[in-house]
Structures are given as structure tokens and as C-alpha cells.
């Protein structure tokens, strides 16, 4: 955290896109690049993050700013295809594909809650996914991976950074695509990603300060990632009046 050093936040349009102004300073990335985003809507969302900071700047709460920094600086220097393949690789360890046999109550819960989202993905993308109780996980066909590679290739580099971020939070490509396609809500996706933990909480009780914090944090990150993907996938212009309101 650092002390807030600015009074006003505004956005302006530059040659490379929309910029964020903290008083009369232009926001820069950690690698000192000009912080420029592709859509006005995303610029307003980032500006709102900076404007909502109080006496101190809590960078760990500014998920959209972090995602933009990652997209601009690309610290790992990965290509578009490397990003796509990293995302698709999550299918091999996808949360909703790994099932337990014991205890029976949890096995039944997984079947009831996870089978519908797997069935949706199989129909939506015309692929075979399945599930497994083996520690090795399901045997995902190469054709399924190819289909997801082709689908993700339709997104731009910025959106792909957001997609990978959501997948990392939910530990699931299937749940992430369900959220991005607006098939399920962020709250539902988070609940499904934490199914075993929620089962244990129901059985053994909740440690409020720990479980509640983790749940809220996961929702915040998944929601920010989803918003980021949508704002980077759509070219939208928003009236400047929104920022003033």
C-alpha cells in the first residue's frame, strides 16, 4: 500500500487508445509504459478503481488495473498461441472433471452440480469431455482440445489474458467459459469451483474470518476477470458523463 497522492481521476483519448490521468500525471505500467487501454468502457472501469481508493492505495484490490498492466507489459513474453495452449491445458486437470467415490454424499453432490455444466460445454462446443474418479483424470480427446484452441483463437490478446486469469482462479476452463458465455453467474461458478470446500463447511462448520474472506476474494477476482474479458472483446464507447456521475 502507498499513500494516495492524487485528487482527481480522469480519462482521455490518446493515439493508442484511452489513458488514465491522476491529476495531471499519466498513469504508467510497472515497466514504465504509458497505461493505454483499447476501450473507453475499460478505461472508465480502471479509473473507477483508482478513484475509489481512500487514504491509501490498495493495489491488491485493483484487479482490472493489474490485468491491464499484464496485458500491456506481458511480463512472461508469451505469444497468443502460448496463452491459448496454457488455457486449454487446464482441461486436463479441470476441477469439474475430477470426481470422488467417497464419501457418497460428496460424490452425489458433484454429480448433481457438475454434470449439468459439463453437459452444457459438450453441447455448446460440440465436444466430448466426460469425468473420471481416477487420479489421472479424464482422457480428453485431442479433437476437444483442438476445438477449444480454435474457439479461444477468436479472442484478442487482451481478452485471453483475462480468460487465463479466470481459469487460474476457478481452476476450470469449463466454468470459466460458462461465465464468459453468460451461461452461469460468477457467484454460481465460484460455488461450483469450491464444491468440496463448501461440502466440508456444511459438515464441519465455517471459520468466518477465513472462509468468508476467501469466498469474497475469489468472487471479486472472477468477476473482475469476466468484466475485463467482456470489455476487451467489445468495442464500446461510453459517454464521458458516466465518469462524472
Amino acid at each position: 500500500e502507498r499513500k494516495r497522492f492524487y485528487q482527481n481521476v480522469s480519462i482521455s483519448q490518446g493515439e493508442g487508445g484511452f489513458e488514465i490521468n491522476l491529476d495531471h500525471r499519466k498513469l504508467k505500467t510497472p515497466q514504465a509504459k504509458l497505461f493505454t487501454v483499447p476501450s473507453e468502457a475499460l478505461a472508465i472501469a480502471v479509473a473507477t478503481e483508482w478513484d475509489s481508493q481512500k487514504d491509501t492505495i490498495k493495489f491488491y484490490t485493483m484487479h482490472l488495473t493489474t490485468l491491464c498492466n499484464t496485458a500491456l507489459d506481458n511480463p512472461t513474453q508469451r505469444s497468443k498461441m502460448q496463452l491459448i495452449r496454457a488455457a486449454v491445458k487446464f482441461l486436463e486437470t479441470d476441477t469439474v472433471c475430477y470426481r470422488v467415490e467417497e464419501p457418497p454424499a460428496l460424490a452425489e453432490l458433484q454429480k448433481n452440480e457438475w454434470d449439468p455444466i459439463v453437459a452444457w460445454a459438450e453441447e455448446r462446443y460440440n465436444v466430448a469431455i466426460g469425468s473420471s474418479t481416477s487420479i489421472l483424470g479424464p482422457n480428453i480427446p485431442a479433437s476437444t482440445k483442438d476445438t477449444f484452441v480454435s474457439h479461444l483463437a477468436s479472442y484478442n490478446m487482451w481478452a485471453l489474458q483475462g480468460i487465463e486469469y479466470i481459469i487460474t482462479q476457478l481452476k476450470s476452463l469449463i466454468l470459466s467459459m460458462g461465465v464468459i458465455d453468460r451461461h452461469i453467474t460468477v457467484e454460481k461458478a465460484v460455488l461450483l469451483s469450491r464444491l468440496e470446500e463448501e461440502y466440508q463447511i456444511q459438515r464441519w462448520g465455517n471459520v468466518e474470518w477465513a472462509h468468508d474472506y476467501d469466498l469474497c476474494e475469489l468472487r471479486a477476482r472472477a468477476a473482475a476477470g469476466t468484466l475485463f474479458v467482456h470489455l476487451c472483446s467489445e468495442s464500446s464507447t461510453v459517454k464521458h458523463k458516466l465518469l462524472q456521475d
Side-chain angles (χ1 to χ4, degrees):
E1 296 181 14
R2 62 178 292 192
K3 186 175 174 58
R4 177 167 169 158
F5 57 88
Y6 54 90
Q7 292 294 320
N8 301 306
V9 185
S10 62
I11 66 171
S12 56
Q13 189 164 11
E15 289 183 14
F18 293 88
E19 302 163 1
I20 312 296
N21 308 300
L22 306 177
D23 292 336
H24 300 297
R25 300 182 184 92
K26 298 274 186 200
L27 185 61
K28 299 286 184 68
T29 71
Q31 292 184 13
K33 294 179 183 175
L34 184 62
F35 191 102
T36 309
V37 301
S39 81
E40 188 176 11
L42 180 56
I44 289 174
V46 171
T48 302
E49 282 190 335
W50 284 87
D51 198 39
S52 66
Q53 302 301 305
K54 305 301 181 187
D55 297 331
T56 57
I57 305 170
K58 296 180 170 65
F59 292 103
Y60 56 86
T61 66
M62 302 166 73
H63 304 304
L64 293 173
T65 300
T66 301
L67 281 163
C68 290
N69 282 331
T70 302
L72 286 163
D73 285 344
N74 190 12
T76 54
Q77 293 300 303
R78 287 182 297 172
S79 66
K80 181 173 181 176
M81 187 50 67
Q82 285 174 314
L83 272 174
I84 291 170
R85 295 208 177 280
V88 173
K89 190 167 178 58
F90 264 90
L91 260 181
E92 298 169 8
T93 56
D94 202 292
T95 294
V96 299
C97 294
Y98 273 81
R99 308 297 174 85
V100 299
E101 293 179 308
E102 299 286 340
L106 178 56
E108 184 70 14
L109 185 64
Q110 289 178 341
K111 177 178 171 58
N112 292 340
E113 296 294 333
W114 285 348
D115 277 5
I117 190 71
V118 173
W120 166 81
E122 289 180 328
E123 183 179 353
R124 163 73 174 84
Y125 300 103
N126 191 26
V127 293
I129 298 172
S131 61
S132 174
T133 55
S134 165
I135 196 169
L136 300 175
N139 185 18
I140 306 293
S143 58
T144 296
K145 295 177 184 178
D146 291 343
T147 297
F148 277 107
V149 166
S150 297
H151 176 73
L152 291 174
S154 67
Y155 290 91
N156 60 44
M157 277 286 286
W158 281 64
L160 285 170
Q161 296 279 7
I163 290 170
E164 187 187 38
Y165 181 76
I166 304 168
I167 293 171
T168 305
Q169 304 309 315
L170 300 177
K171 306 293 186 291
S172 170
L173 173 63
I174 296 169
L175 292 177
S176 300
M177 298 317 298
V179 167
I180 293 165
D181 278 0
R182 297 183 173 92
H183 175 68
I184 53 174
T185 64
V186 167
E187 289 80 7
K188 178 72 172 176
V190 167
L191 184 65
L192 292 176
S193 76
R194 288 165 44 97
L195 201 61
E196 186 168 355
E197 189 172 354
E198 293 297 328
Y199 170 80
Q200 299 296 348
I201 289 171
Q202 293 279 330
R203 191 174 181 189
W204 303 109
N206 188 19
V207 181
E208 277 187 40
W209 62 269
H211 292 139
D212 291 352
Y213 177 80
D214 289 346
L215 179 61
C216 290
E217 268 296 289
L218 185 53
R219 280 179 180 166
R221 291 193 295 267
T226 304
L227 178 61
F228 184 82
V229 171
H230 288 157
L231 293 181
C232 292
S233 302
E234 302 163 2
S235 56
S236 53
T237 303
V238 181
K239 292 182 179 178
H240 292 285
K241 184 174 180 296
L242 280 178
L243 189 58
Q244 296 165 1
D245 291 346

